[in-house]
Amino acid sequence: QVQLVESGGGVVQPGGSLTLSCAASVSLFSIYVMAWYRQAPGKERELVARITWGDITNYADSVKGRFTISRDNAKNLVLLQMNSLKSEDTAIYYCYSAGDNWGQGTQVTVSS
């Protein structure tokens, strides 16, 4: 089982930026697909962004143009750069890797 450890969550003002980091316990070369999900209060968990080993990316319509997912294979990290944050982005964000591995979740709160 792959261990995923997240960091970077916090409280930001609307319009602000935040970068989430997910550290994997194995080489990212061995993980073809990684992704970020989020779950807002009272909502189901939803896919935010995904990235393949070949850097093919997909984004939810709600974050497209604002969020960027990337891999740092040398450091076994998957990053989620979040810009122009909105209150509706408030959620617990989870890192995911192929093979049904999940991180512990990190809270992102967008509030004034």
PDB file of all heavy atoms in Angstrom, residues 24-61:
ATOM      1  N   ALA A  24       4.530  10.913  -1.624  1.00  0.00           N
ATOM      2  CA  ALA A  24       4.284   9.488  -1.751  1.00  0.00           C
ATOM      3  C   ALA A  24       5.441   8.686  -1.160  1.00  0.00           C
ATOM      4  O   ALA A  24       6.597   9.111  -1.209  1.00  0.00           O
ATOM      5  CB  ALA A  24       4.070   9.108  -3.209  1.00  0.00           C
ATOM      6  N   SER A  25       5.112   7.522  -0.621  1.00  0.00           N
ATOM      7  CA  SER A  25       6.118   6.670   0.003  1.00  0.00           C
ATOM      8  C   SER A  25       6.900   5.841  -1.002  1.00  0.00           C
ATOM      9  O   SER A  25       7.874   5.180  -0.630  1.00  0.00           O
ATOM     10  CB  SER A  25       5.459   5.738   1.028  1.00  0.00           C
ATOM     11  OG  SER A  25       4.536   4.865   0.406  1.00  0.00           O
ATOM     12  N   VAL A  26       6.482   5.847  -2.242  1.00  0.00           N
ATOM     13  CA  VAL A  26       7.168   5.127  -3.306  1.00  0.00           C
ATOM     14  C   VAL A  26       7.469   6.085  -4.438  1.00  0.00           C
ATOM     15  O   VAL A  26       6.930   7.193  -4.500  1.00  0.00           O
ATOM     16  CB  VAL A  26       6.342   3.933  -3.822  1.00  0.00           C
ATOM     17  CG1 VAL A  26       6.053   2.951  -2.705  1.00  0.00           C
ATOM     18  CG2 VAL A  26       5.056   4.414  -4.471  1.00  0.00           C
ATOM     19  N   SER A  27       8.327   5.643  -5.331  1.00  0.00           N
ATOM     20  CA  SER A  27       8.668   6.462  -6.479  1.00  0.00           C
ATOM     21  C   SER A  27       7.436   6.743  -7.327  1.00  0.00           C
ATOM     22  O   SER A  27       6.631   5.850  -7.587  1.00  0.00           O
ATOM     23  CB  SER A  27       9.729   5.768  -7.323  1.00  0.00           C
ATOM     24  OG  SER A  27       9.945   6.464  -8.535  1.00  0.00           O
ATOM     25  N   LEU A  28       7.315   7.986  -7.759  1.00  0.00           N
ATOM     26  CA  LEU A  28       6.203   8.346  -8.630  1.00  0.00           C
ATOM     27  C   LEU A  28       6.311   7.685  -9.991  1.00  0.00           C
ATOM     28  O   LEU A  28       5.328   7.636 -10.736  1.00  0.00           O
ATOM     29  CB  LEU A  28       6.112   9.868  -8.780  1.00  0.00           C
ATOM     30  CG  LEU A  28       5.080  10.568  -7.892  1.00  0.00           C
ATOM     31  CD1 LEU A  28       5.294  10.233  -6.422  1.00  0.00           C
ATOM     32  CD2 LEU A  28       5.106  12.062  -8.115  1.00  0.00           C
ATOM     33  N   PHE A  29       7.481   7.186 -10.311  1.00  0.00           N
ATOM     34  CA  PHE A  29       7.643   6.449 -11.564  1.00  0.00           C
ATOM     35  C   PHE A  29       6.837   5.155 -11.555  1.00  0.00           C
ATOM     36  O   PHE A  29       6.552   4.598 -12.618  1.00  0.00           O
ATOM     37  CB  PHE A  29       9.119   6.144 -11.820  1.00  0.00           C
ATOM     38  CG  PHE A  29       9.938   7.340 -12.167  1.00  0.00           C
ATOM     39  CD1 PHE A  29      10.985   7.748 -11.344  1.00  0.00           C
ATOM     40  CD2 PHE A  29       9.690   8.069 -13.313  1.00  0.00           C
ATOM     41  CE1 PHE A  29      11.749   8.857 -11.663  1.00  0.00           C
ATOM     42  CE2 PHE A  29      10.447   9.181 -13.642  1.00  0.00           C
ATOM     43  CZ  PHE A  29      11.485   9.571 -12.813  1.00  0.00           C
ATOM     44  N   SER A  30       6.480   4.675 -10.365  1.00  0.00           N
ATOM     45  CA  SER A  30       5.707   3.453 -10.233  1.00  0.00           C
ATOM     46  C   SER A  30       4.208   3.709 -10.115  1.00  0.00           C
ATOM     47  O   SER A  30       3.431   2.763 -10.004  1.00  0.00           O
ATOM     48  CB  SER A  30       6.184   2.652  -9.020  1.00  0.00           C
ATOM     49  OG  SER A  30       5.882   3.323  -7.812  1.00  0.00           O
ATOM     50  N   ILE A  31       3.808   4.978 -10.126  1.00  0.00           N
ATOM     51  CA  ILE A  31       2.405   5.357 -10.001  1.00  0.00           C
ATOM     52  C   ILE A  31       1.981   6.079 -11.266  1.00  0.00           C
ATOM     53  O   ILE A  31       2.418   7.204 -11.509  1.00  0.00           O
ATOM     54  CB  ILE A  31       2.161   6.254  -8.777  1.00  0.00           C
ATOM     55  CG1 ILE A  31       2.711   5.600  -7.512  1.00  0.00           C
ATOM     56  CG2 ILE A  31       0.672   6.555  -8.630  1.00  0.00           C
ATOM     57  CD1 ILE A  31       2.634   6.474  -6.281  1.00  0.00           C
ATOM     58  N   TYR A  32       1.127   5.449 -12.035  1.00  0.00           N
ATOM     59  CA  TYR A  32       0.769   6.021 -13.328  1.00  0.00           C
ATOM     60  C   TYR A  32      -0.171   7.213 -13.196  1.00  0.00           C
ATOM     61  O   TYR A  32      -0.035   8.209 -13.917  1.00  0.00           O
ATOM     62  CB  TYR A  32       0.130   4.967 -14.229  1.00  0.00           C
ATOM     63  CG  TYR A  32      -0.175   5.487 -15.611  1.00  0.00           C
ATOM     64  CD1 TYR A  32       0.857   5.829 -16.484  1.00  0.00           C
ATOM     65  CD2 TYR A  32      -1.484   5.649 -16.049  1.00  0.00           C
ATOM     66  CE1 TYR A  32       0.592   6.320 -17.746  1.00  0.00           C
ATOM     67  CE2 TYR A  32      -1.756   6.141 -17.315  1.00  0.00           C
ATOM     68  CZ  TYR A  32      -0.715   6.475 -18.161  1.00  0.00           C
ATOM     69  OH  TYR A  32      -0.984   6.967 -19.418  1.00  0.00           O
ATOM     70  N   VAL A  33      -1.140   7.117 -12.282  1.00  0.00           N
ATOM     71  CA  VAL A  33      -2.137   8.170 -12.123  1.00  0.00           C
ATOM     72  C   VAL A  33      -2.189   8.640 -10.671  1.00  0.00           C
ATOM     73  O   VAL A  33      -2.294   7.829  -9.749  1.00  0.00           O
ATOM     74  CB  VAL A  33      -3.537   7.694 -12.545  1.00  0.00           C
ATOM     75  CG1 VAL A  33      -4.563   8.790 -12.295  1.00  0.00           C
ATOM     76  CG2 VAL A  33      -3.544   7.295 -14.004  1.00  0.00           C
ATOM     77  N   MET A  34      -2.124   9.944 -10.479  1.00  0.00           N
ATOM     78  CA  MET A  34      -2.357  10.545  -9.179  1.00  0.00           C
ATOM     79  C   MET A  34      -3.375  11.655  -9.337  1.00  0.00           C
ATOM     80  O   MET A  34      -3.536  12.213 -10.430  1.00  0.00           O
ATOM     81  CB  MET A  34      -1.061  11.069  -8.557  1.00  0.00           C
ATOM     82  CG  MET A  34      -0.045   9.974  -8.302  1.00  0.00           C
ATOM     83  SD  MET A  34       1.274  10.454  -7.161  1.00  0.00           S
ATOM     84  CE  MET A  34       0.352  10.566  -5.617  1.00  0.00           C
ATOM     85  N   ALA A  35      -4.049  11.975  -8.256  1.00  0.00           N
ATOM     86  CA  ALA A  35      -5.139  12.935  -8.346  1.00  0.00           C
ATOM     87  C   ALA A  35      -5.385  13.624  -7.014  1.00  0.00           C
ATOM     88  O   ALA A  35      -4.912  13.185  -5.967  1.00  0.00           O
ATOM     89  CB  ALA A  35      -6.420  12.236  -8.813  1.00  0.00           C
ATOM     90  N   TRP A  36      -6.111  14.707  -7.087  1.00  0.00           N
ATOM     91  CA  TRP A  36      -6.634  15.395  -5.922  1.00  0.00           C
ATOM     92  C   TRP A  36      -8.151  15.347  -5.967  1.00  0.00           C
ATOM     93  O   TRP A  36      -8.757  15.629  -7.005  1.00  0.00           O
ATOM     94  CB  TRP A  36      -6.175  16.851  -5.871  1.00  0.00           C
ATOM     95  CG  TRP A  36      -4.737  17.030  -5.491  1.00  0.00           C
ATOM     96  CD1 TRP A  36      -3.671  17.145  -6.328  1.00  0.00           C
ATOM     97  CD2 TRP A  36      -4.218  17.123  -4.165  1.00  0.00           C
ATOM     98  NE1 TRP A  36      -2.508  17.304  -5.608  1.00  0.00           N
ATOM     99  CE2 TRP A  36      -2.821  17.296  -4.264  1.00  0.00           C
ATOM    100  CE3 TRP A  36      -4.795  17.084  -2.893  1.00  0.00           C
ATOM    101  CZ2 TRP A  36      -1.995  17.427  -3.155  1.00  0.00           C
ATOM    102  CZ3 TRP A  36      -3.972  17.206  -1.790  1.00  0.00           C
ATOM    103  CH2 TRP A  36      -2.593  17.377  -1.932  1.00  0.00           C
ATOM    104  N   TYR A  37      -8.744  14.990  -4.844  1.00  0.00           N
ATOM    105  CA  TYR A  37     -10.179  15.041  -4.643  1.00  0.00           C
ATOM    106  C   TYR A  37     -10.467  16.037  -3.532  1.00  0.00           C
ATOM    107  O   TYR A  37      -9.566  16.426  -2.778  1.00  0.00           O
ATOM    108  CB  TYR A  37     -10.735  13.676  -4.248  1.00  0.00           C
ATOM    109  CG  TYR A  37     -10.830  12.662  -5.374  1.00  0.00           C
ATOM    110  CD1 TYR A  37      -9.702  12.038  -5.882  1.00  0.00           C
ATOM    111  CD2 TYR A  37     -12.070  12.321  -5.913  1.00  0.00           C
ATOM    112  CE1 TYR A  37      -9.788  11.104  -6.895  1.00  0.00           C
ATOM    113  CE2 TYR A  37     -12.164  11.381  -6.923  1.00  0.00           C
ATOM    114  CZ  TYR A  37     -11.029  10.781  -7.408  1.00  0.00           C
ATOM    115  OH  TYR A  37     -11.125   9.842  -8.416  1.00  0.00           O
ATOM    116  N   ARG A  38     -11.721  16.435  -3.420  1.00  0.00           N
ATOM    117  CA  ARG A  38     -12.118  17.275  -2.303  1.00  0.00           C
ATOM    118  C   ARG A  38     -13.532  16.936  -1.872  1.00  0.00           C
ATOM    119  O   ARG A  38     -14.331  16.425  -2.656  1.00  0.00           O
ATOM    120  CB  ARG A  38     -12.016  18.766  -2.650  1.00  0.00           C
ATOM    121  CG  ARG A  38     -13.041  19.259  -3.659  1.00  0.00           C
ATOM    122  CD  ARG A  38     -12.788  20.718  -4.005  1.00  0.00           C
ATOM    123  NE  ARG A  38     -13.762  21.236  -4.951  1.00  0.00           N
ATOM    124  CZ  ARG A  38     -13.691  22.437  -5.517  1.00  0.00           C
ATOM    125  NH1 ARG A  38     -12.670  23.253  -5.218  1.00  0.00           N
ATOM    126  NH2 ARG A  38     -14.627  22.834  -6.365  1.00  0.00           N
ATOM    127  N   GLN A  39     -13.814  17.211  -0.616  1.00  0.00           N
ATOM    128  CA  GLN A  39     -15.141  17.002  -0.075  1.00  0.00           C
ATOM    129  C   GLN A  39     -15.528  18.216   0.758  1.00  0.00           C
ATOM    130  O   GLN A  39     -14.929  18.483   1.802  1.00  0.00           O
ATOM    131  CB  GLN A  39     -15.207  15.731   0.774  1.00  0.00           C
ATOM    132  CG  GLN A  39     -16.607  15.369   1.223  1.00  0.00           C
ATOM    133  CD  GLN A  39     -16.692  13.961   1.767  1.00  0.00           C
ATOM    134  OE1 GLN A  39     -15.691  13.368   2.153  1.00  0.00           O
ATOM    135  NE2 GLN A  39     -17.897  13.411   1.786  1.00  0.00           N
ATOM    136  N   ALA A  40     -16.520  18.941   0.275  1.00  0.00           N
ATOM    137  CA  ALA A  40     -17.028  20.111   0.973  1.00  0.00           C
ATOM    138  C   ALA A  40     -18.082  19.687   1.987  1.00  0.00           C
ATOM    139  O   ALA A  40     -18.656  18.599   1.871  1.00  0.00           O
ATOM    140  CB  ALA A  40     -17.606  21.110  -0.023  1.00  0.00           C
ATOM    141  N   PRO A  41     -18.351  20.530   2.977  1.00  0.00           N
ATOM    142  CA  PRO A  41     -19.382  20.187   3.968  1.00  0.00           C
ATOM    143  C   PRO A  41     -20.718  19.867   3.313  1.00  0.00           C
ATOM    144  O   PRO A  41     -21.215  20.649   2.504  1.00  0.00           O
ATOM    145  CB  PRO A  41     -19.468  21.451   4.823  1.00  0.00           C
ATOM    146  CG  PRO A  41     -18.128  22.085   4.691  1.00  0.00           C
ATOM    147  CD  PRO A  41     -17.710  21.811   3.279  1.00  0.00           C
ATOM    148  N   GLY A  42     -21.276  18.720   3.661  1.00  0.00           N
ATOM    149  CA  GLY A  42     -22.561  18.312   3.132  1.00  0.00           C
ATOM    150  C   GLY A  42     -22.540  17.841   1.697  1.00  0.00           C
ATOM    151  O   GLY A  42     -23.609  17.572   1.125  1.00  0.00           O
ATOM    152  N   LYS A  43     -21.366  17.725   1.106  1.00  0.00           N
ATOM    153  CA  LYS A  43     -21.239  17.315  -0.290  1.00  0.00           C
ATOM    154  C   LYS A  43     -20.505  15.985  -0.408  1.00  0.00           C
ATOM    155  O   LYS A  43     -19.814  15.553   0.508  1.00  0.00           O
ATOM    156  CB  LYS A  43     -20.484  18.373  -1.093  1.00  0.00           C
ATOM    157  CG  LYS A  43     -21.102  19.753  -1.079  1.00  0.00           C
ATOM    158  CD  LYS A  43     -22.361  19.808  -1.919  1.00  0.00           C
ATOM    159  CE  LYS A  43     -22.876  21.233  -2.027  1.00  0.00           C
ATOM    160  NZ  LYS A  43     -24.091  21.315  -2.882  1.00  0.00           N
ATOM    161  N   GLU A  44     -20.662  15.345  -1.562  1.00  0.00           N
ATOM    162  CA  GLU A  44     -19.929  14.123  -1.851  1.00  0.00           C
ATOM    163  C   GLU A  44     -18.513  14.461  -2.297  1.00  0.00           C
ATOM    164  O   GLU A  44     -18.245  15.554  -2.794  1.00  0.00           O
ATOM    165  CB  GLU A  44     -20.631  13.310  -2.943  1.00  0.00           C
ATOM    166  CG  GLU A  44     -21.988  12.767  -2.541  1.00  0.00           C
ATOM    167  CD  GLU A  44     -22.608  11.911  -3.620  1.00  0.00           C
ATOM    168  OE1 GLU A  44     -22.148  11.960  -4.777  1.00  0.00           O
ATOM    169  OE2 GLU A  44     -23.556  11.172  -3.308  1.00  0.00           O
ATOM    170  N   ARG A  45     -17.612  13.510  -2.109  1.00  0.00           N
ATOM    171  CA  ARG A  45     -16.253  13.700  -2.567  1.00  0.00           C
ATOM    172  C   ARG A  45     -16.230  13.777  -4.090  1.00  0.00           C
ATOM    173  O   ARG A  45     -16.878  12.989  -4.777  1.00  0.00           O
ATOM    174  CB  ARG A  45     -15.372  12.553  -2.070  1.00  0.00           C
ATOM    175  CG  ARG A  45     -13.891  12.741  -2.340  1.00  0.00           C
ATOM    176  CD  ARG A  45     -13.057  11.635  -1.688  1.00  0.00           C
ATOM    177  NE  ARG A  45     -13.196  11.644  -0.245  1.00  0.00           N
ATOM    178  CZ  ARG A  45     -12.498  10.852   0.571  1.00  0.00           C
ATOM    179  NH1 ARG A  45     -11.619   9.997   0.079  1.00  0.00           N
ATOM    180  NH2 ARG A  45     -12.697  10.922   1.876  1.00  0.00           N
ATOM    181  N   GLU A  46     -15.477  14.738  -4.618  1.00  0.00           N
ATOM    182  CA  GLU A  46     -15.423  14.933  -6.051  1.00  0.00           C
ATOM    183  C   GLU A  46     -13.985  15.041  -6.535  1.00  0.00           C
ATOM    184  O   GLU A  46     -13.098  15.487  -5.807  1.00  0.00           O
ATOM    185  CB  GLU A  46     -16.196  16.195  -6.458  1.00  0.00           C
ATOM    186  CG  GLU A  46     -15.600  17.483  -5.914  1.00  0.00           C
ATOM    187  CD  GLU A  46     -16.294  18.731  -6.443  1.00  0.00           C
ATOM    188  OE1 GLU A  46     -17.084  18.621  -7.407  1.00  0.00           O
ATOM    189  OE2 GLU A  46     -16.040  19.828  -5.884  1.00  0.00           O
ATOM    190  N   LEU A  47     -13.783  14.639  -7.770  1.00  0.00           N
ATOM    191  CA  LEU A  47     -12.471  14.745  -8.390  1.00  0.00           C
ATOM    192  C   LEU A  47     -12.176  16.200  -8.726  1.00  0.00           C
ATOM    193  O   LEU A  47     -12.994  16.878  -9.345  1.00  0.00           O
ATOM    194  CB  LEU A  47     -12.410  13.893  -9.654  1.00  0.00           C
ATOM    195  CG  LEU A  47     -11.123  13.972 -10.476  1.00  0.00           C
ATOM    196  CD1 LEU A  47      -9.956  13.373  -9.700  1.00  0.00           C
ATOM    197  CD2 LEU A  47     -11.300  13.254 -11.811  1.00  0.00           C
ATOM    198  N   VAL A  48     -11.011  16.670  -8.327  1.00  0.00           N
ATOM    199  CA  VAL A  48     -10.580  18.027  -8.619  1.00  0.00           C
ATOM    200  C   VAL A  48      -9.643  18.051  -9.815  1.00  0.00           C
ATOM    201  O   VAL A  48      -9.820  18.836 -10.752  1.00  0.00           O
ATOM    202  CB  VAL A  48      -9.890  18.673  -7.402  1.00  0.00           C
ATOM    203  CG1 VAL A  48      -9.368  20.064  -7.739  1.00  0.00           C
ATOM    204  CG2 VAL A  48     -10.853  18.737  -6.220  1.00  0.00           C
ATOM    205  N   ALA A  49      -8.622  17.208  -9.771  1.00  0.00           N
ATOM    206  CA  ALA A  49      -7.637  17.165 -10.838  1.00  0.00           C
ATOM    207  C   ALA A  49      -6.909  15.834 -10.808  1.00  0.00           C
ATOM    208  O   ALA A  49      -6.779  15.211  -9.755  1.00  0.00           O
ATOM    209  CB  ALA A  49      -6.633  18.315 -10.702  1.00  0.00           C
ATOM    210  N   ARG A  50      -6.417  15.404 -11.960  1.00  0.00           N
ATOM    211  CA  ARG A  50      -5.645  14.179 -12.041  1.00  0.00           C
ATOM    212  C   ARG A  50      -4.487  14.375 -13.000  1.00  0.00           C
ATOM    213  O   ARG A  50      -4.544  15.234 -13.891  1.00  0.00           O
ATOM    214  CB  ARG A  50      -6.523  12.990 -12.480  1.00  0.00           C
ATOM    215  CG  ARG A  50      -7.007  13.086 -13.912  1.00  0.00           C
ATOM    216  CD  ARG A  50      -8.070  12.030 -14.237  1.00  0.00           C
ATOM    217  NE  ARG A  50      -7.579  10.672 -14.164  1.00  0.00           N
ATOM    218  CZ  ARG A  50      -6.983  10.023 -15.167  1.00  0.00           C
ATOM    219  NH1 ARG A  50      -6.782  10.628 -16.333  1.00  0.00           N
ATOM    220  NH2 ARG A  50      -6.587   8.773 -14.999  1.00  0.00           N
ATOM    221  N   ILE A  51      -3.446  13.580 -12.810  1.00  0.00           N
ATOM    222  CA  ILE A  51      -2.272  13.667 -13.661  1.00  0.00           C
ATOM    223  C   ILE A  51      -1.682  12.281 -13.840  1.00  0.00           C
ATOM    224  O   ILE A  51      -1.615  11.487 -12.903  1.00  0.00           O
ATOM    225  CB  ILE A  51      -1.230  14.648 -13.077  1.00  0.00           C
ATOM    226  CG1 ILE A  51      -0.058  14.841 -14.042  1.00  0.00           C
ATOM    227  CG2 ILE A  51      -0.742  14.193 -11.701  1.00  0.00           C
ATOM    228  CD1 ILE A  51       0.845  16.007 -13.653  1.00  0.00           C
ATOM    229  N   THR A  52      -1.254  11.991 -15.057  1.00  0.00           N
ATOM    230  CA  THR A  52      -0.636  10.706 -15.365  1.00  0.00           C
ATOM    231  C   THR A  52       0.875  10.819 -15.337  1.00  0.00           C
ATOM    232  O   THR A  52       1.438  11.907 -15.237  1.00  0.00           O
ATOM    233  CB  THR A  52      -1.077  10.197 -16.744  1.00  0.00           C
ATOM    234  OG1 THR A  52      -0.469  11.005 -17.763  1.00  0.00           O
ATOM    235  CG2 THR A  52      -2.591  10.240 -16.901  1.00  0.00           C
ATOM    236  N   TRP A  53       1.548   9.674 -15.440  1.00  0.00           N
ATOM    237  CA  TRP A  53       2.999   9.640 -15.490  1.00  0.00           C
ATOM    238  C   TRP A  53       3.528  10.476 -16.649  1.00  0.00           C
ATOM    239  O   TRP A  53       4.590  11.084 -16.534  1.00  0.00           O
ATOM    240  CB  TRP A  53       3.460   8.186 -15.628  1.00  0.00           C
ATOM    241  CG  TRP A  53       4.947   8.008 -15.598  1.00  0.00           C
ATOM    242  CD1 TRP A  53       5.734   7.869 -14.493  1.00  0.00           C
ATOM    243  CD2 TRP A  53       5.815   7.933 -16.728  1.00  0.00           C
ATOM    244  NE1 TRP A  53       7.053   7.718 -14.863  1.00  0.00           N
ATOM    245  CE2 TRP A  53       7.136   7.743 -16.232  1.00  0.00           C
ATOM    246  CE3 TRP A  53       5.616   7.995 -18.114  1.00  0.00           C
ATOM    247  CZ2 TRP A  53       8.231   7.629 -17.077  1.00  0.00           C
ATOM    248  CZ3 TRP A  53       6.715   7.885 -18.951  1.00  0.00           C
ATOM    249  CH2 TRP A  53       7.993   7.700 -18.431  1.00  0.00           C
ATOM    250  N   GLY A  54       2.770  10.515 -17.736  1.00  0.00           N
ATOM    251  CA  GLY A  54       3.158  11.303 -18.893  1.00  0.00           C
ATOM    252  C   GLY A  54       2.662  12.731 -18.843  1.00  0.00           C
ATOM    253  O   GLY A  54       2.669  13.410 -19.874  1.00  0.00           O
ATOM    254  N   ASP A  55       2.214  13.190 -17.679  1.00  0.00           N
ATOM    255  CA  ASP A  55       1.781  14.575 -17.448  1.00  0.00           C
ATOM    256  C   ASP A  55       0.531  14.948 -18.232  1.00  0.00           C
ATOM    257  O   ASP A  55       0.343  16.117 -18.585  1.00  0.00           O
ATOM    258  CB  ASP A  55       2.908  15.562 -17.757  1.00  0.00           C
ATOM    259  CG  ASP A  55       4.037  15.499 -16.748  1.00  0.00           C
ATOM    260  OD1 ASP A  55       3.777  15.117 -15.586  1.00  0.00           O
ATOM    261  OD2 ASP A  55       5.175  15.838 -17.113  1.00  0.00           O
ATOM    262  N   ILE A  56      -0.312  13.977 -18.490  1.00  0.00           N
ATOM    263  CA  ILE A  56      -1.628  14.265 -19.038  1.00  0.00           C
ATOM    264  C   ILE A  56      -2.539  14.636 -17.876  1.00  0.00           C
ATOM    265  O   ILE A  56      -2.650  13.887 -16.905  1.00  0.00           O
ATOM    266  CB  ILE A  56      -2.197  13.065 -19.805  1.00  0.00           C
ATOM    267  CG1 ILE A  56      -1.290  12.711 -20.980  1.00  0.00           C
ATOM    268  CG2 ILE A  56      -3.611  13.363 -20.294  1.00  0.00           C
ATOM    269  CD1 ILE A  56      -1.667  11.420 -21.667  1.00  0.00           C
ATOM    270  N   THR A  57      -3.175  15.789 -17.964  1.00  0.00           N
ATOM    271  CA  THR A  57      -3.967  16.301 -16.850  1.00  0.00           C
ATOM    272  C   THR A  57      -5.433  16.449 -17.200  1.00  0.00           C
ATOM    273  O   THR A  57      -5.795  16.633 -18.357  1.00  0.00           O
ATOM    274  CB  THR A  57      -3.435  17.658 -16.378  1.00  0.00           C
ATOM    275  OG1 THR A  57      -3.458  18.587 -17.463  1.00  0.00           O
ATOM    276  CG2 THR A  57      -2.009  17.531 -15.865  1.00  0.00           C
ATOM    277  N   ASN A  58      -6.261  16.372 -16.182  1.00  0.00           N
ATOM    278  CA  ASN A  58      -7.692  16.632 -16.290  1.00  0.00           C
ATOM    279  C   ASN A  58      -8.131  17.413 -15.070  1.00  0.00           C
ATOM    280  O   ASN A  58      -7.623  17.198 -13.970  1.00  0.00           O
ATOM    281  CB  ASN A  58      -8.488  15.331 -16.384  1.00  0.00           C
ATOM    282  CG  ASN A  58      -8.296  14.611 -17.695  1.00  0.00           C
ATOM    283  OD1 ASN A  58      -8.824  15.018 -18.725  1.00  0.00           O
ATOM    284  ND2 ASN A  58      -7.530  13.523 -17.666  1.00  0.00           N
ATOM    285  N   TYR A  59      -9.091  18.312 -15.271  1.00  0.00           N
ATOM    286  CA  TYR A  59      -9.576  19.159 -14.200  1.00  0.00           C
ATOM    287  C   TYR A  59     -11.090  19.192 -14.168  1.00  0.00           C
ATOM    288  O   TYR A  59     -11.748  19.104 -15.209  1.00  0.00           O
ATOM    289  CB  TYR A  59      -9.069  20.594 -14.362  1.00  0.00           C
ATOM    290  CG  TYR A  59      -7.576  20.736 -14.293  1.00  0.00           C
ATOM    291  CD1 TYR A  59      -6.809  20.688 -15.453  1.00  0.00           C
ATOM    292  CD2 TYR A  59      -6.934  20.927 -13.073  1.00  0.00           C
ATOM    293  CE1 TYR A  59      -5.433  20.818 -15.396  1.00  0.00           C
ATOM    294  CE2 TYR A  59      -5.557  21.059 -13.016  1.00  0.00           C
ATOM    295  CZ  TYR A  59      -4.813  21.005 -14.175  1.00  0.00           C
ATOM    296  OH  TYR A  59      -3.444  21.143 -14.114  1.00  0.00           O
ATOM    297  N   ALA A  60     -11.625  19.338 -12.964  1.00  0.00           N
ATOM    298  CA  ALA A  60     -13.047  19.597 -12.834  1.00  0.00           C
ATOM    299  C   ALA A  60     -13.361  20.960 -13.435  1.00  0.00           C
ATOM    300  O   ALA A  60     -12.545  21.883 -13.363  1.00  0.00           O
ATOM    301  CB  ALA A  60     -13.465  19.562 -11.368  1.00  0.00           C
ATOM    302  N   ASP A  61     -14.533  21.085 -14.025  1.00  0.00           N
ATOM    303  CA  ASP A  61     -14.913  22.347 -14.643  1.00  0.00           C
ATOM    304  C   ASP A  61     -14.862  23.509 -13.654  1.00  0.00           C
ATOM    305  O   ASP A  61     -14.536  24.639 -14.024  1.00  0.00           O
ATOM    306  CB  ASP A  61     -16.312  22.247 -15.247  1.00  0.00           C
ATOM    307  CG  ASP A  61     -16.359  21.373 -16.481  1.00  0.00           C
ATOM    308  OD1 ASP A  61     -15.296  21.143 -17.096  1.00  0.00           O
ATOM    309  OD2 ASP A  61     -17.459  20.919 -16.844  1.00  0.00           O
TER     310      ASP A  61
END
